[in-house]
Amino acid sequence: MSGCFRLREDGVDLFVRLTPKSSKDAVEGVEQTADGRCHFAARVRAVPEKGEANAALEKLLADEFGIPRKSIKVIAGGTSRLKTVRITGNASELARLMAEFARR
């Protein structure tokens, strides 16, 4: 399941499929698309207007993984459901954390 994130020198890039306007905020695990790519599935209550859903996703990931909010940023897919989220920090520790979560 390491295909759900990409290791970087300064952290990881996490691939996420976001569902806005949900009934709850949650990271629901890992999903795979028909073309074989995998991503973390997340839901937020926020609406996809003025970056609100992206901000809610960043906060959700920070809370879920115990990572400072300032270390998380949506870097691609700002207006799409499929997003790339950069998490900066100790790359090996973040990779371990993401791999453990993907196995749940």
Side-chain angles (χ1 to χ4, degrees):
M1 285 298 166
S2 64
C4 301
F5 63 91
R6 177 177 48 230
L7 195 57
R8 300 178 43 82
E9 188 174 301
D10 63 342
V12 296
D13 286 346
L14 184 66
F15 307 114
V16 178
R17 182 177 189 280
L18 180 64
T19 302
K21 298 192 304 186
S22 180
S23 61
K24 63 180 180 175
D25 293 342
V27 179
E28 297 183 325
V30 175
E31 294 179 345
Q32 194 165 5
T33 59
D35 65 1
R37 295 182 300 160
C38 77
H39 53 268
F40 285 87
R43 299 179 174 277
V44 294
R45 292 182 295 238
V47 296
E49 296 174 1
K50 300 179 184 173
E52 291 178 29
N54 290 339
L57 173 62
E58 292 169 356
K59 182 182 181 321
L60 172 65
L61 293 174
D63 293 344
E64 183 71 37
F65 297 124
I67 299 168
R69 169 79 166 68
K70 65 182 180 179
S71 299
I72 301 174
K73 178 145 181 71
V74 174
I75 61 164
T79 59
S80 170
R81 285 183 185 260
L82 295 175
K83 302 180 182 299
T84 302
V85 178
R86 180 153 299 153
I87 304 175
T88 55
N90 181 308
S92 60
E93 180 63 25
L94 289 170
R96 184 192 60 76
L97 184 64
M98 298 303 133
E100 282 179 10
F101 187 83
R103 283 191 293 269
R104 286 194 219 167

